[in-house]
Amino acid sequence: MIRRFRTFVAPAALMAVLAAAPMAAAQSRANPAQAAQTAPRAVTFATTANVTGGTLVLPLSNATDLATRAAALPEADRAAIERALTSAGFSYGARQTLSLRGIGAADRILIVGTGASGSAADVHWSGAVAGRTLVDDAAPVTVLATGLSPEATAGFVTGLGVGHYRSDLYRASRAAQGAPGGLTVVSDAAPAAQAAFEGRGAALVEAMTWARDVSNEPANVLYPESFVSRAQAAFRGVRGVTVEVLDVPAMERLGMGALLGVGQGSERPPRLLVIRYRGAGAPEGGPIALVGKGITFDTGGISIKPSANMGNMKMDMSGAAAVTGTVLALARSGAPVDVVAVAALAENMPDGNAIRPGDVLTAMNGKTIEVISTDAEGRLVLADALVWTERNVNPAVIVDVATLTGAVGGALGNDYAGLFSRHDALADQLDAAGQATGERLWRLPLASTYGGFVSSSIADLQNSGSGGAGAGTGAHFIGEFVSRDIPWAHLDIANMAYGGANDWKPAGSAGFSVRLLEEFVRNYQPVPRGAQNSGG
């Protein structure tokens, strides 16, 4: 059946809902362990500093910033900090840190470089590095932001909240830890900085935490039905939101044979989750549609994966988490946008009912697909999700997000996600959003020759290429399920969605593309239908 609800409770009520929300709807089927929440620091803004202990954070872009940022400190403390910076050869580069002790009333002084450019991305990521550095420190934190613009201050504090995230959800020692000390932000423009943070940054931190939590959850806790429950809990009480869920009978009636085919090997049935948010003052012309691959665990199916690192496949639903988190950030902040997230949710398992190589599936639009590899399942669930989206929400533009191919990492390493599009104006806007947020994209071609690699002798298409560019043929296949005149882009984030720990995140989910897509949707400029280009 199709379930639908509409909520119009004041957004402030969501904080209590999130705090009380269950971690999964059906944990009786899973390990009964309860995941720990990442307790956020309570944030307050002030115009004066009163440092009597804890950690003092100084974001600096150059040597002269110290006099402004630390104006409230005694002259002797500033002189000691200056000597330490000189002695350490501190270069003020973005994400560079220096930790000092034994100076003044603070237990520790953390210097964080924000880069000479002072770009929004550099400031945000420097804040994330500070948050990561202090994630195990329960002491109160004071950020001296005097002289920073309200926007830069909010960006740094937002980054600090993002960096504060922990992925050790089931470590027993977490249960005994209390909430960390508060975060006081000292600014000469405190009211404006607070408004900027509470108007956008706080919601982005919440959404990033949500997306990373669901991505890091083990597959015995997070599967299609519990993903839906977690999303419903997150959006309950948010004004302007509608939630729609398609279960197996509903998808069967619609002929969604590709998505159903992927999920039929699992006892946990697939779902299609649709979350639409339309804010006050949103432009007309149809919503921006964000469609995410949501494979909650990917064994590869009959084409089973090697056992090494298969556990990471709990995060093969990172695209669905990202698009859902993006809409959560926009809705929680009351952004004046019209946006819909569509999450194609399934678990790819190899039981006796699973699809086999050589099987033929029929997608919702009637196209037939020969299954070459059951491990090329992401493009199958996206095929039906994209057709449903085009037919049911009349989108102005479609962007799909997926951990689709290993090939994209071979092409781009760990620096860029892959961007494919038939529309230059859309690709340019996504690239700009990536540059603004530091979640960078690199556009790759959609060559006409890629169609030959997914040509089938028995069906309209085959789901895995017989050669050529792996990321490109995957993108070409997906594009066959979007009308040519609709502005469409595909983001292959398989190389960026998760990985080991670094200076701004713990191991596990990066929550990649939440910030990028939130920026893109806020600043989207209409792309004319049919305005294609040489990209495909």
Side-chain angles (χ1 to χ4, degrees):
M1 64 179 177
I2 300 176
R3 298 189 295 274
R4 190 191 303 261
F5 68 83
R6 192 181 296 264
T7 54
F8 296 99
V9 180
L14 185 64
M15 295 296 290
V17 174
L18 286 174
M23 295 305 297
Q27 276 201 344
S28 59
R29 300 169 59 185
N31 189 313
Q34 187 76 10
Q37 295 282 359
T38 299
R41 293 184 184 272
V43 181
T44 59
F45 289 78
T47 55
T48 58
N50 182 25
V51 180
T52 58
T55 297
L56 189 65
V57 178
L58 282 167
L60 304 176
S61 62
N62 54 58
T64 60
D65 277 350
L66 179 62
T68 303
R69 290 296 175 273
L73 298 182
E75 184 177 348
D77 292 357
R78 293 198 303 274
I81 295 170
E82 186 174 7
R83 288 193 300 271
L85 289 166
T86 301
S87 177
F90 195 77
S91 66
Y92 304 94
R95 298 165 65 164
Q96 184 182 8
T97 62
L98 178 65
S99 186
L100 307 174
R101 294 185 184 273
I103 298 176
D107 298 321
R108 172 165 64 163
I109 296 175
L110 179 65
I111 312 295
V112 185
T114 58
S117 71
S119 70
D122 281 350
V123 171
H124 173 88
W125 290 107
S126 296
V129 169
R132 173 76 171 140
T133 303
L134 302 173
V135 72
D136 292 319
D137 189 344
V141 174
T142 301
V143 176
L144 296 185
T146 300
L148 279 176
S149 70
E151 294 75 21
T153 301
F156 187 86
V157 176
T158 300
L160 199 149
V162 169
H164 186 256
Y165 179 81
R166 298 181 58 153
S167 59
D168 55 345
L169 302 179
Y170 289 89
R171 186 169 290 172
S173 59
R174 291 254 335 247
Q177 295 175 346
L183 171 63
T184 301
V185 183
V186 180
S187 168
D188 50 339
Q194 180 173 353
F197 174 69
E198 294 180 350
R200 183 177 182 183
L204 192 56
V205 172
E206 284 186 31
M208 282 286 295
T209 298
W210 186 90
R212 290 156 90 175
D213 274 351
V214 296
S215 298
N216 284 324
E217 284 282 12
N220 61 336
V221 173
L222 200 287
Y223 40 91
E225 292 166 294
S226 57
F227 185 106
V228 167
S229 296
R230 294 279 285 268
Q232 288 173 326
F235 282 93
R236 191 169 293 123
V238 184
R239 189 180 299 274
V241 170
T242 60
V243 178
E244 186 174 343
V245 185
L246 276 66
D247 61 9
V248 170
M251 289 188 280
E252 287 175 339
R253 289 193 295 271
L254 292 170
M256 300 175 76
L259 198 163
L260 290 168
V262 172
Q264 72 187 39
S266 172
E267 67 173 14
R268 296 182 170 103
R271 293 287 185 267
L272 189 77
L273 171 67
V274 184
I275 302 171
R276 183 165 183 176
Y277 163 70
R278 182 172 174 82
E284 301 297 329
I288 298 168
L290 308 176
V291 182
K293 170 188 170 183
I295 303 299
T296 58
F297 193 78
D298 183 18
T299 66
I302 298 297
S303 308
I304 199 161
K305 295 177 179 288
S307 60
N309 299 316
M310 191 193 285
N312 286 335
M313 290 299 97
K314 67 181 183 179
M315 291 179 280
D316 206 19
M317 36 61 69
S318 295
V323 300
T324 305
T326 298
V327 176
L328 181 60
L330 292 163
R332 283 284 292 116
S333 62
V337 299
D338 189 2
V339 63
V340 58
V342 179
L345 303 165
E347 186 177 59
N348 189 22
M349 299 290 283
D351 80 353
N353 196 44
I355 56 173
R356 298 156 291 244
D359 286 359
V360 175
L361 306 175
T362 303
M364 183 178 170
N365 64 352
K367 286 190 176 182
T368 54
I369 305 164
E370 179 188 9
V371 177
I372 301 300
S373 169
T374 64
D375 194 24
E377 83 299 326
R379 62 201 68 185
L380 295 176
V381 301
L382 286 173
D384 278 336
L386 288 165
V387 174
W388 186 93
T389 300
E390 182 177 335
R391 291 184 178 179
N392 288 275
V393 303
N394 191 28
V397 62
I398 299 175
V399 179
D400 77 76
V401 186
T403 49
L404 201 77
T405 68
V408 74
L412 301 176
N414 297 322
D415 297 307
Y416 299 87
L419 163 63
F420 300 84
S421 182
R422 294 193 285 250
H423 297 79
D424 287 340
L426 174 57
D428 289 346
Q429 291 187 52
L430 286 163
D431 181 65
Q435 293 185 48
T437 59
E439 292 194 325
R440 296 179 295 178
L441 304 173
W442 193 270
R443 191 176 182 186
L444 296 169
L446 273 172
S448 58
T449 54
Y450 292 168
F453 294 114
V454 292
S455 176
S456 169
S457 62
I458 191 174
D460 295 319
L461 296 164
Q462 62 183 34
N463 78 324
S464 182
S466 56
T473 54
H476 176 88
F477 178 96
I478 292 168
E480 291 300 296
F481 295 87
V482 181
S483 295
R484 293 274 167 174
D485 66 324
I486 293 181
W488 160 75
H490 163 65
L491 305 186
D492 191 339
I493 66 169
N495 57 329
M496 304 297 289
Y498 53 86
N502 58 29
D503 62 350
W504 67 270
K505 65 171 281 291
S509 173
F512 184 86
S513 75
V514 173
R515 282 155 291 194
L516 182 158
L517 293 171
E518 191 263 2
E519 176 80 9
F520 163 72
V521 173
R522 280 183 178 273
N523 296 291
Y524 175 72
Q525 297 297 314
V527 176
R529 289 188 175 228
Q532 297 190 26
N533 55 73
S534 59

